[in-house]
Amino acid sequence: MRFLNRAIALSFVAALAATPALADDRGTPEQAKTLLEKAAVHFKDVGADKAMSDFNDPKAGYQDRDLFIFVYGPDGKVVCVPGIPALVGRDASAAKDVDGKEYGKAIIAAANAGGGWTDYRMTNPATKKVEPKRSYAVKVGDYVLGSGAYVLASDK
């Protein structure tokens, strides 16, 4: 019986210890913005083709946990989105979230206004659940660069 009680207690402690680790696996909106600022400098320094190649390379330093860089081209189409090649070539201004919010237009508008945040709801590929997402976008030349983080209700 003593062994069973210890096993239950250890299982409970392990479960509690694992809970914060799940939150640690998520990037924050501020970390997404910092990643984007680094990406924007890189984009200016090496040009669009090399930068987007690097953004798609998981070892190049532009992907961190669930954070990554996305890029809309001068024509408003998605030209880079690591891990989701089906989105490349789509009209970003036509993108809507699960609630019908035209988040693509909002992201483009925020970038054109000098940079800014857009809040919307998307399916998180890691959890397979619809969650709030907060993305920051900037304009670099004729391109829109962005990065976003899935946020927990406690993070808002």
Side-chain angles (χ1 to χ4, degrees):
M1 186 70 172
R2 186 181 289 176
F3 176 75
L4 182 59
N5 286 341
R6 281 188 192 159
I8 291 171
L10 286 173
S11 296
F12 182 71
V13 169
L16 287 176
T19 302
L22 293 175
D24 290 343
D25 288 342
R26 292 175 180 252
T28 66
E30 284 307 314
Q31 290 167 333
K33 184 179 179 190
T34 299
L35 182 66
L36 175 63
E37 290 166 346
K38 173 184 163 186
V41 169
H42 185 63
F43 197 95
K44 290 175 189 172
D45 288 347
V46 302
D49 291 338
K50 172 67 173 141
M52 288 188 285
S53 175
D54 292 341
F55 299 161
N56 278 305
D57 180 354
K59 296 176 185 169
Y62 297 95
Q63 297 179 34
D64 177 17
R65 294 164 290 168
D66 59 346
L67 304 178
F68 57 87
I69 302 299
F70 59 85
V71 182
Y72 301 162
D75 60 358
K77 292 189 178 176
V78 177
V79 293
C80 178
V81 58
I84 315 172
L87 294 180
V88 174
R90 292 199 182 176
D91 182 359
S93 66
K96 295 181 182 181
D97 74 1
V98 296
D99 297 323
K101 179 177 181 175
E102 294 178 314
Y103 73 90
K105 285 182 182 175
I107 287 171
I108 292 167
N112 286 334
W117 294 101
T118 301
D119 295 315
Y120 51 106
R121 292 179 0 109
M122 298 289 292
T123 300
N124 181 331
T127 65
K128 309 293 188 240
K129 295 179 182 177
V130 174
E131 298 177 1
K133 187 167 186 177
R134 182 161 236 231
S135 292
Y136 196 85
V138 296
K139 190 100 180 212
V140 180
D142 293 330
Y143 292 83
V144 170
L145 277 64
S147 183
Y150 289 94
V151 293
L152 300 171
S154 61
D155 294 337
K156 284 188 147 188

